[in-house]
Amino acid sequence: MAGTILPFGPQHPVLPEPLHLNLQIEDEIVVSATPAFGYVHRGLEKLADIRDFRQMIQVVERVCGICSMIHALTYCQGLEELMGIEPTPRARFLRVIWSELHRLHSHLLWLGLFADAMGFESLFMQLWKVRERIMDINEATAGNRVILSVNVIGGVRRDLDSGQTAWILSELAEVEKGFSAMSRTILHDYTVQKRTRGKGALSRSQAMELGCVGPMLRASGVSQDMRLLGYAAYGELEFAPVVEQDGDCYARCRVRFAELGQSIGLIRQAIAKLPAGDTSVPVKGRPPAGEVVARAEQPRGECLYYIKANGGKFLDRLRIRTPTFANIPALTVMLPGIELADVPVVLLSIDPCISCTER
Amino acid sequence: MVFMIPVVLKNLFGRCATRPYPQSPRQLFAGSRGQLINDAGKCILCGTCARSCPSQCLTVSRKEGLWQYEPFACVFCGVCVEACPAGSLSQLGQWRPAVRERERVVLKVEVKSEKSGVRSEA
Ligand code: SF4
Ligand code: SF4
């Protein structure tokens, strides 16, 4: 066979995560890409055998740092459904607030890393500077910058008082100002367009067939968003999925950038409608025997939890399908035909989270 | 690139966005989940914390009157603090300082006899 096989990752200067691809190259053009997994496998699903169903909340939070809160949320919602528990209205709205804060900081992180993959260092630093405010909100309201640990079965562990909500709103105004100031650069800059337009394009039908989720799918013109299921308090808030038609790296960038504004809007709505009351309901007993599938929209797309309980303290099986796992097959279609120098941009455009994928 | 030039110049001549770390450490917000401490005077060695800890880094032994904690395995989730019926656990508003040696916290707890299970053991 002609050409050279180039191992791209798991250690590579451009990659924030240990993604491993074997690229078959001919004259600097990618001919085929084969993903390889297992580099950061930690066996977290198997821990369900020795950690009880409550302790597993802290375990699933560590599947991924960037969407830690939403992993715990999906898991708790699954168990709540199994146990027939209805979280309090206040808890549902607080869950939306923390989920959207997570989406905000994840998208800002991604935009920064994407700029970095293009070699646009100043944009990368500027976006991460804006992101710091959200990390501060996380720490002030939940106790930690990254692993919020706010979810429990039946609600949330922390509450927000009126002083905190007012402070969150004023900080969000600053965040909005910060990333809006970058909008011209991100959306109209010549360098950014040159590196992203027409790269790694995926048509609507390809995106559907390959099983893409989240911003990948929405950038290819499919209006799909798990938040439309109305879990937590999303059913009571107004929003419409951000959809773009082109399906290339630039469209993905536009989708994620527009979702920053959408998340801020959702937090404002949730704070305005935040009902009074308790933050959690007391939960007694163990989950009854049965199985349940829980889904939620993470910053990277749909996350799916399958939980099988046997009536005991330990779960029979926990299976986590993370969004990156669903988006990786698209790489095998997007990479062939592009130049090696564009591989980082296309790779980053799926927002890969490998510790999520390999769990 | 042109759109970024004003920002870059502002950053170049403006105030520093980062902190000279060891000289001026960052203050955590109130309610941050920092270093875990146990008030030996309040602990009743009931073992609830050890049973609830997701990383299983606590060991409670009534027989020896010991409460042991492995800070390097702790994930500072605060589950034990909420579970403790005696309110003896708390988290400080600062992180554990960096250390050179791996250490284990071993706390000798005197349990008042009417509360302890030591008597029934005899
Ligand atoms: S710290 Fe609290 S929960 Fe742990 S043994 Fe002592 S009293 Fe019980
Ligand atoms: S903070 Fe969490 S990990 Fe640390 S001892 Fe307490 S329960 Fe265990």
Side-chain angles (χ1 to χ4, degrees):
Chain A
M1 191 167 35
T4 315
I5 302 279
L6 190 79
F8 196 92
Q11 301 292 348
H12 190 283
V14 79
L15 291 175
E17 297 244 4
L19 175 62
H20 182 189
L21 287 168
N22 287 318
L23 300 176
Q24 195 189 342
I25 306 279
E26 238 184 274
D27 299 336
E28 297 269 308
I29 305 284
V30 179
V31 178
S32 72
T34 317
F37 293 113
Y39 190 69
V40 286
H41 175 64
R42 290 155 292 157
L44 294 183
E45 287 175 355
K46 188 70 183 153
L47 269 182
D49 286 354
I50 51 166
R51 301 280 191 268
D52 71 31
F53 67 98
R54 283 178 213 270
Q55 293 171 338
M56 278 310 284
I57 299 174
Q58 268 67 38
V59 175
V60 297
E61 266 174 348
R62 281 156 181 83
V63 168
C64 170
I66 303 302
C67 2
S68 71
M69 190 271 164
I70 309 182
H71 270 291
L73 172 68
T74 321
Y75 176 78
C76 288
Q77 286 186 159
L79 278 184
E80 280 157 10
E81 192 184 323
L82 196 62
M83 297 168 82
I85 298 164
E86 182 62 35
T88 62
R90 190 173 176 86
R92 290 191 289 112
F93 277 81
L94 289 172
R95 281 174 171 181
V96 168
I97 295 174
W98 277 307
S99 294
E100 291 308 316
L101 283 170
H102 254 60
R103 196 175 320 278
L104 263 178
H105 93 69
S106 172
H107 280 358
L108 281 169
L109 174 117
W110 176 80
L111 282 163
L113 291 174
F114 194 56
D116 187 45
M118 291 185 267
F120 205 155
E121 289 291 321
S122 54
L123 182 59
F124 157 65
M125 288 183 195
Q126 201 61 26
L127 287 164
W128 278 40
K129 187 175 150 193
V130 174
R131 175 177 177 261
E132 252 336 271
R133 284 186 189 267
I134 307 197
M135 308 313 277
D136 282 350
I137 299 178
N138 282 348
E139 185 179 315
T141 56
N144 199 311
R145 284 160 57 86
V146 178
I147 308 277
L148 300 197
S149 218
V150 285
N151 283 292
V152 285
I153 299 161
V156 288
R157 280 165 65 186
R158 297 246 180 170
D159 200 0
L160 298 179
D161 59 33
S162 56
Q164 280 175 315
T165 50
W167 176 70
I168 293 177
L169 290 176
S170 72
E171 285 291 288
L172 286 183
E174 288 298 315
V175 171
E176 196 171 23
K177 223 160 75 190
F179 69 71
S180 303
M182 298 295 110
S183 71
R184 249 189 358 151
T185 312
I186 295 171
L187 303 177
H188 305 295
D189 189 271
Y190 172 78
T191 326
V192 176
Q193 303 235 356
K194 196 81 188 150
R195 292 296 316 265
T196 55
R197 257 193 202 271
K199 303 276 159 63
L202 215 55
S203 70
R204 187 191 155 93
S205 59
Q206 276 177 319
M208 294 282 275
E209 273 166 29
L210 291 162
C212 295
V213 294
M216 284 282 288
L217 197 53
R218 293 196 282 276
S220 292
V222 184
S223 170
Q224 192 218 48
D225 191 323
M226 285 308 124
R227 291 175 287 177
L228 292 175
L229 294 174
Y231 68 86
Y234 284 112
E236 292 151 63
L237 303 173
E238 309 238 329
F239 74 102
V242 180
V243 180
E244 288 281 334
Q245 303 301 332
D246 293 348
D248 56 1
C249 292
Y250 180 63
R252 283 167 215 142
C253 192
R254 285 183 70 97
V255 166
R256 292 195 176 100
F257 189 75
E259 284 186 357
L260 292 175
Q262 182 191 48
S263 290
I264 291 197
L266 278 166
I267 298 174
R268 287 191 179 130
Q269 283 186 52
I271 287 182
K273 289 188 181 171
L274 192 62
D278 290 335
T279 53
S280 63
V281 288
V283 176
K284 288 261 176 310
R286 295 166 176 178
E291 38 184 11
V292 70
V293 169
R295 297 193 290 175
E297 183 75 14
Q298 286 188 341
R300 296 172 172 84
E302 175 196 359
C303 168
L304 188 141
Y305 269 64
Y306 166 79
I307 301 167
K308 182 161 185 258
N310 55 9
K313 205 160 85 161
F314 303 103
L315 298 176
D316 252 4
R317 178 79 169 101
L318 175 68
R319 167 86 175 101
I320 307 167
R321 207 290 315 271
T322 61
T324 305
F325 187 77
N327 281 334
I328 280 183
L331 284 178
T332 58
V333 174
M334 294 193 303
L335 289 174
I338 65 162
E339 282 185 42
L340 184 58
D342 285 330
V343 169
V345 175
V346 175
L347 269 190
L348 262 284
S349 78
I350 75 163
D351 196 358
C353 175
I354 301 305
S355 56
C356 248
T357 310
E358 301 181 353
R359 304 174 303 280
Chain B
M1 209 57 175
V2 270
F3 302 132
M4 267 317 263
I5 291 172
V7 182
V8 172
L9 289 177
K10 214 170 114 195
N11 285 345
L12 196 60
F13 298 108
R15 237 163 28 112
C16 209
T18 49
R19 192 180 296 111
Y21 168 60
Q23 289 84 34
S24 64
R26 178 170 176 271
Q27 292 301 316
L28 298 196
F29 287 89
S32 292
R33 301 194 307 269
Q35 192 173 350
L36 180 74
I37 47 163
N38 187 0
D39 179 351
K42 284 196 202 157
C43 179
I44 53 172
L45 290 183
C46 63
T48 312
C49 54
R51 282 192 298 277
S52 63
C53 173
S55 70
Q56 302 185 345
C57 60
L58 296 171
T59 329
V60 177
S61 161
R62 282 198 135 185
K63 211 151 115 193
E64 299 157 42
L66 291 181
W67 180 89
Q68 298 184 57
Y69 167 51
E70 182 75 61
F72 287 82
C74 176
V75 295
F76 302 97
C77 59
V79 166
C80 55
V81 179
E82 278 174 26
C84 176
S88 77
L89 290 173
S90 58
Q91 283 185 289
L92 301 180
Q94 66 201 41
W95 289 318
R96 282 188 84 247
V99 289
R100 285 178 186 278
E101 298 284 317
R102 195 184 168 101
E103 59 192 28
R104 202 179 156 83
V105 177
V106 179
L107 207 67
K108 186 92 187 116
V109 178
E110 298 277 332
V111 180
K112 290 177 205 76
S113 57
E114 70 270 17
K115 276 190 199 161
S116 83
V118 180
R119 261 189 322 184
S120 59
E121 238 170 329

